[in-house]
Amino acid sequence: MSEQEGGNGSSKSSSLTNYEEALEALSSLIIRRTRADGSNFGDQFDVLFVYLKMLDLEEQISNMKIIHVAGTKGKGSTCTFTESILRNCGFRTGLFTSPHLIDIRERFRLNGIEISQEKFLAYFWWCYDRLKEKTDDNVPMPNYFRFLALLAFKIFAEEQVDVAIMEVGLGGKYDATNVVKEPIVCGITSLGYDHMEILGNTLGEIAGEKAGIFKDRIPAFTVPQPEEAMHVLEDKASKLNVPLQVVPPLDAKLLNGLTLGLEGEHQYLNAALAIALCSTWLKRTGNIGDAYLERTDTLPEQFIKGLTSASLQGRAQIVSDMHFKNDQSNELVFFLDGAHSPESMEVCARWFSLAIKDNSPDEMLFHRQLDNPKSSHDVVKMQHGERGAQRKSAPILLFNCLTVRDPQLLLPRLMETCADHDRSSKSVGKSHARQKTGTITDIVPEELKDDIEMSASNCEHSAVFSSLPVAIKWLRDRSQQNQSVRFQVLVTGSLHLVGDVLKLVKK
């Protein structure tokens, strides 16, 4: 972006007040999305190309070397692995994902780091002011997500990234990221039931929307899918002459004894998809030859480093409450995962069940003491006598889902899977609320209370709190009152909930 072009943005980019003004302007673009027959989704998809002309982005996007990823589960993880691999291969990367957890700038990453506030504001106001000037009643301002996608393309074009990894926000066919006409390679992660009010009621319909990112003769990869979904993907690929390949989970042996940067068994599937996307991107951009792709017995060092160093907030993340950072006698640990579909609830429950075993109070305190024992006698004493007196653990569920999702579909899958792992999750804190401006409001709608209490009825203990801060305060109070207990809190059901919990516990 030239100095002249960026003048308006640059003059505004220095103050916190201006950042808040930008967020207010962005919030004004939030509108309700409906099925693919409304003016905001589907029929008016072509208006996106009008916006591209307004922003002079058509040629810039056509010159980008883009990796495009859709799916129900694992999109963010797959894109994160992909970005990390290519960055470690020496390329300048741009990564666009959604949603954000704490700050909108998380959605735009340059070389693995969220864009600076100064750059964000410069590009934001350049795009916003130009669109505001050129749109009218016939072509209104783009909605919230469409604007963010356009902003991502502007940022990556001006920052001259070598590769742009674009995560689909919703669906695929009518998603704002699908203005890309010739990506280098496409990926479809695991498919399941989500956003059914928009994408359709069957896996076939959902798969059809996701396959909307396929482009004529552009290679695509997916992971093993349910038969109904796979049939649709294969049919769509065939009609567009798309060479579609299915990748199996990554063999952990290829990591040379290391572990993936993102936790959970399901990540080996996302990692395998990322490897296929990166390998194909490298080949099609002239950076490697065919022989490289044919090797199945080893991974390049850069790939291993990328996979093992990847990080993503809110997915299988473990965080201790910073409220007690100076008080070692209190232990309140949050296990955060933004699962929000029935299938991802099962994956989340399996991860949590294993994670609380690996992070049991006995093991954690025992190893912490062994790091600095007073004497060899103390080590023997702890090994044989003291571990039985260590803290008990208390698994707790803090759950929330947006009003478009049914807690009675999500909670049973979560609880049943936890039970299969011989663990009981006591649901003591449920903060249900409507989504507002990308965050959780502090008011529980009266019409939701019956559904919440009904979905909690299968738990031994349950309670509904009026707001998330109240629920967190309850947990902190219990932790202080029961210092012999280590509270292990699973936070799931919504990425928005996870983001709001992170804001509170990291203060």
Side-chain angles (χ1 to χ4, degrees), residues 346-364:
E346 289 187 17
V347 172
C348 172
R350 287 195 292 270
W351 164 71
F352 177 65
S353 297
L354 293 172
I356 58 177
K357 290 178 182 177
D358 292 340
N359 291 272
S360 68
D362 284 357
E363 291 294 334
M364 296 295 287

Side-chain angles (χ1 to χ4, degrees), residues 37-54:
D37 54 5
S39 61
N40 300 321
F41 191 84
D43 291 346
Q44 294 298 312
F45 177 77
D46 287 345
V47 76
L48 281 162
F49 296 98
V50 178
Y51 298 139
L52 293 183
K53 287 183 178 179
M54 292 177 179

Side-chain angles (χ1 to χ4, degrees), residues 51 54 131-141:
Y51 298 139
M54 292 177 179
L131 288 169
K132 200 73 173 174
E133 177 187 343
K134 293 177 177 288
T135 52
D136 53 30
D137 291 341
N138 294 321
V139 182
M141 285 287 285

Side-chain angles (χ1 to χ4, degrees), residues 30-146:
I30 295 175
I31 56 176
R32 183 177 176 82
R33 284 185 284 198
T34 57
R35 281 298 298 269
D37 54 5
S39 61
N40 300 321
F41 191 84
D43 291 346
Q44 294 298 312
F45 177 77
D46 287 345
V47 76
L48 281 162
F49 296 98
V50 178
Y51 298 139
L52 293 183
K53 287 183 178 179
M54 292 177 179
L55 298 174
D56 298 322
L57 282 175
E58 292 172 302
E59 184 178 353
Q60 288 179 312
I61 291 176
S62 68
N63 291 331
M64 283 188 198
K65 295 179 174 60
I66 294 171
I67 296 175
H68 202 190
V69 180
T72 305
K73 300 168 291 180
K75 287 180 300 185
S77 298
T78 299
C79 288
T80 297
F81 280 133
T82 301
E83 184 280 330
S84 187
I85 290 171
L86 292 177
R87 173 162 42 87
N88 278 280
C89 286
F91 296 98
R92 179 166 173 76
T93 61
L95 173 62
F96 176 63
T97 59
S98 62
H100 62 279
L101 296 184
I102 297 176
D103 192 302
I104 190 73
R105 293 179 293 117
E106 295 168 25
R107 297 180 185 231
F108 314 92
R109 294 186 178 267
L110 297 168
N111 277 341
I113 301 172
E114 65 186 49
I115 190 170
S116 68
Q117 189 174 112
E118 183 179 6
K119 282 187 176 182
F120 172 81
L121 286 171
Y123 293 127
F124 175 90
W125 288 118
W126 188 90
C127 291
Y128 186 87
D129 290 344
R130 178 165 287 207
L131 288 169
K132 200 73 173 174
E133 177 187 343
K134 293 177 177 288
T135 52
D136 53 30
D137 291 341
N138 294 321
V139 182
M141 285 287 285
N143 67 27
Y144 181 85
F145 184 81
R146 286 182 169 184

Side-chain angles (χ1 to χ4, degrees), residues 80 99-103 106 109 114 262 311-317 319 336-338 495 498-499 502-503 506:
T80 297
H100 62 279
L101 296 184
I102 297 176
D103 192 302
E106 295 168 25
R109 294 186 178 267
E114 65 186 49
L262 306 182
S311 63
L312 183 61
Q313 283 200 115
R315 278 79 164 182
Q317 182 181 7
V319 176
L336 304 143
D337 192 85
L495 276 167
V498 167
L502 278 172
K503 290 177 192 175
K506 283 192 169 184

Side-chain angles (χ1 to χ4, degrees), residues 397-452:
L397 173 64
L398 178 59
F399 179 85
N400 170 296
C401 66
L402 300 182
T403 55
V404 295
R405 298 191 175 93
D406 186 355
Q408 296 186 64
L409 290 178
L410 301 180
L411 278 169
R413 297 284 281 270
L414 181 75
M415 305 305 289
E416 287 165 11
T417 306
C418 282
D420 288 342
H421 283 261
D422 298 320
R423 289 284 182 173
S424 61
S425 292
K426 296 179 180 179
S427 178
V428 300
K430 295 178 180 295
S431 172
H432 277 249
R434 294 183 184 277
Q435 181 183 355
K436 181 180 180 182
T437 322
T439 63
I440 302 300
T441 62
D442 283 344
I443 300 172
V444 177
E446 289 294 326
E447 66 270 22
L448 281 179
K449 286 186 176 178
D450 290 341
D451 288 339
I452 299 166

